[in-house]
C-alpha cells in the first residue's frame, strides 16, 4: 500500500522510518513546511516529497498519517476523511474540546476509520494487563497506579503551547487506565506543583502532578506525573485486585534505585526517553494501522476514545485550578458517540 505522512518533526520522522520497514507498505508520500525536515527524512528513507497536505491527499495514497502540530489536527483529519482516506493521527484530536467534538461528529458521520495515536495500547505489557483484567483472574479491581515521569522538561515554547501537563502528558495515563480497566472515569481530584522552570508558573501549569480518578465501578486510579525525573523515563502501571496484583514496567531498565541490602534489581541501563521505551509499541501501532487501511481490522483507538480521555484531562485541569473534586459530566460537551462505553466494559 501507499501511505502519506503529514508532518516530519521528531515523531513524524520516526513514523516514516517505521513505515518504510513494514512489509505492507510499498511507498511513502511526505510533506512538511520545513524543507530541512523533508530533506532529513528523504535522505534516510525512500519517499516522494510533495509541497502540501493537499498534495499528499491527491497523491494516490491508500491512507494518511498525521504527525503535524496539534493545532492542525482537526483540519487535517477532516480533509483526509472528506477524501475517504483511512487516517492515523497523533494525539490529541484537537487542542480545544469543542473542536474535538466537531471532529468526532464528522468522523462518525463519514464512516471513514480514524485511529488516534495512543501507543501504550500496543506495548506488550499493557496489552497483557488488559487481558488479565478482562479474564477476571485478578478478581475485582480496586486500585490502579499509573506513572509517567519524564527525565527533563520540554522546551519552554512547547510548555507554553501544550495546554498543561494533564492535556499533554497525563492523557497517556488516563487512556491506559480506561484501556486496561475497561471502565469509565466519573470523577477526578487533581493537584500539582510548579516547582522547576519559571515557565510552568507563568502559564498556569505545573511540573509535577497527581490525580485520583474514581471509576464507574468504584475502583480508584492514582496517576503520577513529573517533568523532572533525573534517573530516567519512568512509565509503569500497577493493577491491584481482590485475587491478584500485576505490574507493567518493572523490568531491568526501570529507572529506580533500590536501597534494600543485597538487592541488585534493576540491573540494566535506565530508559531515558519515550522513543526508547516504546519503540516496539510504535511499530505495532503502525502495523495495526496498515490493517485498518486494508479493511481487515477496526480502529483500535477511535476518535471517541480520544475525546473521552480529553474530558478527563479537562476535569483534572479544572480540579487543579479550583482545588476541588470535579465530575466528568461538569466538563463534558454533548457528542453523538454513545456506544463506546458499554463496548469497553468487561463486567
Amino acid at each position: 500500500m501507499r501511505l502519506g505522512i503529514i508532518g516530519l518533526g521528531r515523531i513524524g520522522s520516526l513514523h516514516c522510518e517505521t513505515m518504510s520497514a513494514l512489509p505492507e507498505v510499498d511507498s511513502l508520500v511526505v510533506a512538511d513546511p520545513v524543507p530541512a525536515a523533508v530533506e532529513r527524512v528523504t535522505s534516510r528513507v525512500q519517499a516522494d516529497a510533495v509541497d502540501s497536505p493537499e498534495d499528499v491527499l491527491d497523491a494516490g495514497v491508500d491512507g494518511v498519517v498525521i504527525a503535524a502540530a496539534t493545532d492542525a489536527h482537526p483540519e487535517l483529519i477532516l480533509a483526509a476523511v472528506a477524501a475517504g482516506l483511512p487516517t492515523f493521527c497523533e494525539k490529541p484530536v484537537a487542542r480545544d474540546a469543542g473542536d474535538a467534538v466537531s471532529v468526532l461528529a464528522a468522523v462518525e458521520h463519514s464512516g471513514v476509520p480514524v485511529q488516534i495515536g495512543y501507543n501504550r495500547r500496543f506495548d506488550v505489557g499493557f496489552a497483557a494487563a488488559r487481558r488479565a483484567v478482562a479474564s477476571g483472574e485478578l478478581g475485582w479491581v480496586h486500585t490502579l497506579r499509573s506513572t509517567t515521569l519524564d527525565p527533563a522538561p520540554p522546551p519552554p515554547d512547547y510548555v507554553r503551547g501544550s495546554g498543561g501537563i494533564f492535556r499533554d502528558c497525563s492523557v497517556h495515563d488516563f487512556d491506559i487506565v480506561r484501556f486496561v480497566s475497561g471502565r469509565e472515569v466519573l470523577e477526578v481530584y487533581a493537584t500539582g506543583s510548579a516547582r522547576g522552570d519559571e515557565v510552568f508558573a507563568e502559564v498556569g501549569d505545573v511540573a509535577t502532578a497527581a490525580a485520583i480518578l474514581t471509576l464507574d465501578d468504584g475502583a480508584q486510579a492514582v496517576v503520577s506525573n513529573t517533568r523532572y525525573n533525573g534517573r530516567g523515563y519512568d512509565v509503569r502501571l500497577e493493577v491491584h485486585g481482590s485475587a491478584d496484583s500485576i505490574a507493567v514496567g518493572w523490568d531491568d531498565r526501570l529507572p529506580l534505585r533500590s536501597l534494600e541490602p543485597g538487592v541488585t534489581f534493576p540491573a540494566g541501563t535506565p530508559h531515558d526517553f519515550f522513543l526508547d521505551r516504546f519503540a516496539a509499541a510504535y511499530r505495532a501501532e503502525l502495523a495495526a494501522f496498515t490493517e485498518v487501511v486494508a479493511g481487515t481490522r477496526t480502529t483500535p483507538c477511535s476518535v471517541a476514545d480520544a475525546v473521552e480521555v480529553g474530558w478527563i484531562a479537562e476535569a483534572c485541569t479544572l480540579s487543579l485550578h479550583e482545588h476541588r473534586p470535579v465530575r466528568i459530566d461538569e466538563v463534558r460537551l454533548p457528542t453523538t458517540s454513545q456506544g463506546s462505553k458499554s463496548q469497553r466494559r468487561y463486567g
Side-chain angles (χ1 to χ4, degrees):
M1 64 181 61
R2 182 170 170 84
L3 295 180
I5 181 160
I6 301 170
L8 301 176
R10 182 173 59 187
I11 195 65
S13 61
L14 172 70
H15 287 341
C16 281
E17 293 187 22
T18 301
M19 290 188 295
S20 68
L22 295 177
E24 298 84 1
V25 178
D26 301 313
S27 61
L28 297 174
V29 182
V30 302
D32 190 283
V34 180
V38 176
E39 183 178 354
R40 183 176 62 249
V41 167
T42 54
S43 68
R44 293 201 303 263
V45 303
Q46 183 64 42
D48 298 325
V50 295
D51 293 333
S52 69
E54 293 78 15
D55 290 336
V56 172
L57 302 183
D58 292 337
V61 295
D62 300 298
V64 62
V65 171
I66 298 170
T70 295
D71 287 341
H73 288 184
E75 180 181 358
L76 292 174
I77 292 173
L78 294 177
V81 166
L85 293 171
T87 301
F88 176 97
C89 183
E90 280 299 333
K91 66 85 182 170
V93 174
R95 189 183 304 277
D96 178 78
D99 290 340
V101 169
S102 296
V103 171
L104 173 59
V107 168
E108 290 188 331
H109 179 74
S110 74
V112 176
V114 176
Q115 178 180 338
I116 304 300
Y118 280 102
N119 62 295
R120 292 184 195 180
R121 293 177 175 228
F122 300 89
D123 176 85
V124 292
F126 287 111
R130 174 183 169 90
R131 291 193 297 271
V133 173
S135 72
E137 64 188 76
L138 305 187
W140 49 272
V141 172
H142 52 77
T143 305
L144 300 95
R145 302 180 187 274
S146 186
T147 299
T148 301
L149 309 180
D150 290 335
D157 284 347
Y158 181 92
V159 172
R160 292 186 181 96
S162 71
I165 196 169
F166 294 116
R167 298 185 182 102
D168 171 59
C169 175
S170 311
V171 286
H172 288 287
D173 298 282
F174 301 155
D175 180 70
I176 215 63
V177 165
R178 293 181 69 246
F179 176 70
V180 169
S181 71
R183 311 305 305 190
E184 297 294 350
V185 176
L186 294 184
E187 186 177 83
V188 308
Y189 181 79
T191 186
S193 166
R195 185 179 184 183
D197 194 302
E198 293 180 356
V199 68
F200 294 105
E202 288 172 5
V203 300
D205 193 9
V206 294
T208 300
I212 298 174
L213 317 179
T214 299
L215 309 189
D216 60 7
D217 63 349
Q220 301 290 297
V222 181
V223 172
S224 300
N225 308 108
T226 190
R227 305 292 197 181
Y228 289 97
N229 195 56
R231 191 166 180 83
Y233 181 64
D234 190 351
V235 172
R236 283 175 282 146
L237 175 73
E238 298 174 13
V239 186
H240 300 274
S242 60
D244 198 5
S245 295
I246 58 175
V248 179
W250 285 86
D251 59 26
D252 263 334
R253 299 194 63 186
L254 170 68
L256 198 64
R257 185 163 58 94
S258 175
L259 298 181
E260 294 296 332
V263 174
T264 59
F265 173 84
T269 303
H271 294 289
D272 62 359
F273 202 37
F274 70 92
L275 297 179
D276 156 45
R277 170 67 174 83
F278 289 113
Y282 280 117
R283 288 193 295 271
E285 179 182 53
L286 289 172
F289 178 60
T290 65
E291 297 175 8
V292 173
V293 174
T296 59
R297 179 175 185 168
T298 58
T299 181
C301 186
S302 68
V303 175
D305 286 320
V307 168
E308 197 65 34
V309 168
W311 300 137
I312 303 171
E314 292 298 317
C316 284
T317 302
L318 182 62
S319 176
L320 172 71
H321 291 299
E322 297 193 354
H323 306 285
R324 66 176 179 88
V326 174
R327 291 184 62 83
I328 302 301
D329 286 346
E330 288 186 54
V331 299
R332 187 193 306 275
L333 299 176
T335 73
T336 59
S337 178
Q338 300 295 329
S340 57
K341 295 182 183 179
S342 61
Q343 292 169 0
R344 232 180 339 265
R345 291 176 179 166
Y346 303 135

